[in-house]
Amino acid sequence: MRKYAAYAIFVLLIFPFSVFAQADEKPEWNNELVSGVNKEKACQVEIPFDSETQALQLSTEESPYYQTLNGTWKFHWVADPKDRPVNFYLPDYNVSTWDDIKVPATWQIEAVRTNKNWDKPLYCNTIYPFGNWRSMEWPNVIQPRPADYTFATMPNPVGSYRREFTLPDSWEGRDVFIRFNGVEAGYYIWLNGKKVGYSEDSYLPSEFNLTPYLKKGSNVLAVEVYHFTDGSFLECQDFWRFSGIFRDVFLWSAPKTQIRDFFFSTDLDEAYKNAKVTLDVEVTGKKRACDIVVKLADKAGNTIITQTHRAAMGVNTLNFDVENPLKWTAETPNLYDLTISLVQKGKSIDLRHTKVGFREVGFAADGKLLVNGKPILFKGANRHDHSPLNGRTVSKEEMERDVQIMKSLNLNAVRTSHYPNNPYFYELCDQYGLYVLAEANVECHGLMSLSGEPSWEKAFTERNENHVKRYRNHVSIVMWSMGNESGKGANFSTAEKAIKKLDSTRPSHYEGNSEYCDVTSSMYPSVEWLESVGKERLNKYQKGETFKSHVICEYAHAMGNSMGNFREYLEVYERYPGLIGGFIWDWVDQSIKMPTPDGKGYYMAAGGDFGDKPNDSNSCTNGVIFSDRTYSAKAYEVKKVNQPIYVEALGNDQYKLTNKRFHSDVADLYGRYEIQEDGKVVYSANLDELNLAPGANKVITISDAHIQHKPGAEYFINFSFKQKKDTKWAKAEYEVASEQFKLSGSERALFVAAKGFIDLSEQDNAYVVKGEKFEITFSKSEGTLAAYSLNGVPMISKGPALNLFRSPTDNDKQVSGEWQRKGLHDLKCEVGQWNVDKEDDEVVLCIRNTYKARNGFDYQTELEYRVAADGSVMVNSVIIPAVKGEIIPRVGYRLELPEGFERMRWYGRGPLENYVDRKWASNVDVYESTVSDQWVKYVKPRKWVTMKIYAGFLLQISMDKGSYLWLQINYLLPLCMSEHRI
């Protein structure tokens, strides 16, 4: 450690000279020691207003000292830096023939939207697209690459941007700054032909003071963006590798003496009631005799604190007490208005405003994560910045929609994976109430050894420091994450110390080496492993030993049709205090909406769809919700598992209601229940007022004795808890929680043979069973029911055949090859002999077939068809595997219907796809739909449409004349059939 510390000091001493001394031989974009030249140091992000009224009522964009530079710029693209227009920054350089480009945007998205010959979107996960992963050479981004890589012929694309602007007259005499909220991956900036500076770190705001370079009238602004820089080695995240000015860019102005930075921190007393506030205010610029005036007001506009402090240049520290302020939590996002003014002779010369909250994070002795002294669990998701139309450029409306959906799905936390988000996103989390695990822009996944390289210590540390400086006033941020999947190196130790020096009020996190952090962390553990960690921490607590709480920063991989057993993780979190929750991977599919070649529709593009290499295919589509923000079945499961009211059936007509919220009661909700008979509501009523404090429970009694139970009918009780009033994320009557319990089982006979005429005849290759309205053919060569017609209309196109295969989901990748090896997708049937018997009112046909797979994985089936006089068919089956104990993807029979059979009606779980381990959001009911509506828009098609039916498989096809086919199949299997259990 002493050696590294000395090295770091040496670098800092020579840095100002080495930046320029080496400029010719080693450009800034290829030097890991340089992340900026002439760039303003990171600080809070608020800009001035003229008055307190303005500050409280207007957005940042409405400040008189804000001027947007979003819009149309001139743009020129080259594949190789040596071909760039070197002198384009000169005001008299003619750019009139250049392309137009929209800002903010990535040039890859603009290329495919406007058919430009620039580099196109490329998606890859863990490797660098600019080198050979087997022999990476840092910090060089121009190095040998495989010949089939997209960038094999594009050494390092450069985008040159130009535009002009004119300042308002009211800014005369003020300092003028330019802020880029996001530029990937590095850029130079010139104004009026003068070089202003250089910046890296794609996801934090970067600023330059333009004052010395300005002139009256029109000013010529030039920006040169490099697709790859040495900083790209720390931006190897699981996402599209975009580039360009992808977030807002704007000008803002401040007085010559100004409030440059401030940090509002709180310390609650032992009762978590009263607060001590420390407010650090940095004043910079021209020295003037000024006062710092601080005002804190509540939501109603009532001033609760006013403080005046004589301003000194540099950092001024103010301390004051606040008596019993309303506390901020994800459930109670109480905010206050903080206004800081720099006042000279009674006149405000600079005024800044932000929303602040009172919140304290800590840990209990048993490992619980505490917010304001009360334990919480992270019920969170990882979120990438992504728009289906604009890629990494996400609008305010899209960000707010994400937060609204998160709240409506009962999530309480978000991890900004794996980089700082747009500044506006943190404001939304403050306002709506989401705990934020805020992550720095550090991931060297393709070369993890960099975290131990001394020359990279500055970059690792600086990115974390700047992250904290920018966003530490946001009360929603409860933990700092130093990065992601970047090895175990000591550079993270330095970064953690730097974070704590800037902000000691929040714990630190890094999954790659939790030794340096306040919590331990892991990814994608099994439920069993997670429980072992919970037990180990509990055992340490009971022995009086010290330990760290554990968080799962990524789990429940939500790619495609997935998230089975999600509920089991929450159950483990709740059992062990040392487990503090987790974050689903991830929130939204990163697919891009593209028109089909014929222009008549669209498809959602993933890796490889733009000819990009290397790529990781559709691994960018791991979302709980789809890219267009519509819900998947997974989303409803997330909502159900995380719901704030838990209902438990105790028996004897008693039910226990538990409020699973951590800080608030459930007075905003009302409860209702209904009793269903075979899917039909026969009784309903409201529950009494819930009156449940956080964590409290009560037992209620609901009897169904007054309902006349019909023999053979099935009864369920459904509970529903809805919002009484509108919230920011949902309207009144929105269902927040629900539960269903079975009251009584069905005694209805599975099959009752009807009386009437029935005939059996044998043909050369078939047995034919006829009734008054139907005809059924049983094939001797196929060994199955081959045809069924009702009133002369064919009801099936292919009879029941053993099916052991389904299309692999993305999370099946590790086992789907084994399915192919066993030949489960291509079974060959060896047909046995039919045994046929005709009784008075039914015909019984039995056959034993053998379905041959590969390598001895064969299956014998014993089928019994019982045909009644009304055309009903009962099918009993025993399936006997040759190899016992094998895990197979599916087991059952597949029967195909003729084209055109569109309407569906079923009694069972629904209306969405559900499985034995993902069924909690799917109540038993009567549902109606169509075959077409069963299509789920996964980016990669998953499987055939299936129906999971409660208490057996029932296929009912209605005809215009009211006749129907009833086919009922019962299974008796000597092996586990998890997909067919309810």
Side-chain angles (χ1 to χ4, degrees), residues 362-425:
F363 297 95
D366 61 0
K368 293 188 183 76
L369 175 63
L370 304 178
V371 172
N372 303 335
K374 295 183 178 180
I376 71 157
L377 288 173
F378 286 137
K379 300 178 181 180
N382 287 271
R383 178 186 175 274
H384 271 293
D385 264 345
H386 184 77
S387 163
L389 296 177
N390 300 310
R392 196 100 75 237
T393 301
V394 184
S395 68
K396 281 188 170 184
E397 293 76 18
E398 287 171 316
M399 284 184 269
E400 186 160 22
R401 184 62 185 141
D402 275 350
V403 172
Q404 289 171 339
I405 297 174
M406 286 181 179
K407 293 292 287 188
S408 69
L409 296 184
N410 295 321
L411 293 175
N412 70 357
V414 60
R415 178 184 180 215
T416 60
S417 53
H418 300 291
Y419 43 83
N421 283 193
N422 188 299
Y424 184 65
F425 184 75

Side-chain angles (χ1 to χ4, degrees), residues 10 29 31 92 107 162 236 435 440 448 487 502 536 541 565 609 617 656 686 693 751 758 791 796 811 891 897 957:
F10 176 72
W29 55 266
N31 187 343
D92 58 357
W107 71 59
R162 273 270 301 262
C236 188
Y435 298 117
M448 293 190 184
L502 292 168
E536 178 249 350
Y541 165 66
N565 83 335
D609 287 339
S617 185
K656 184 165 73 172
N686 286 342
F751 180 76
I758 190 168
N791 293 326
I796 65 173
N811 290 336
V891 60
L897 306 181
I957 305 169

Side-chain angles (χ1 to χ4, degrees), residues 44 259-265 277-283 292 294 314-320 338 340 472-473 501-502:
Q44 59 79 35
I259 299 168
R260 187 61 187 165
D261 198 9
F262 58 87
F263 177 32
F264 178 92
S265 61
V277 173
T278 300
L279 177 63
D280 293 327
V281 181
E282 183 181 10
V283 179
I292 298 171
V294 175
V315 177
N316 300 258
T317 299
L318 290 75
N319 296 288
F320 51 89
L338 174 67
I340 306 172
R472 59 186 171 178
N473 286 318
K501 187 174 181 179
L502 292 168

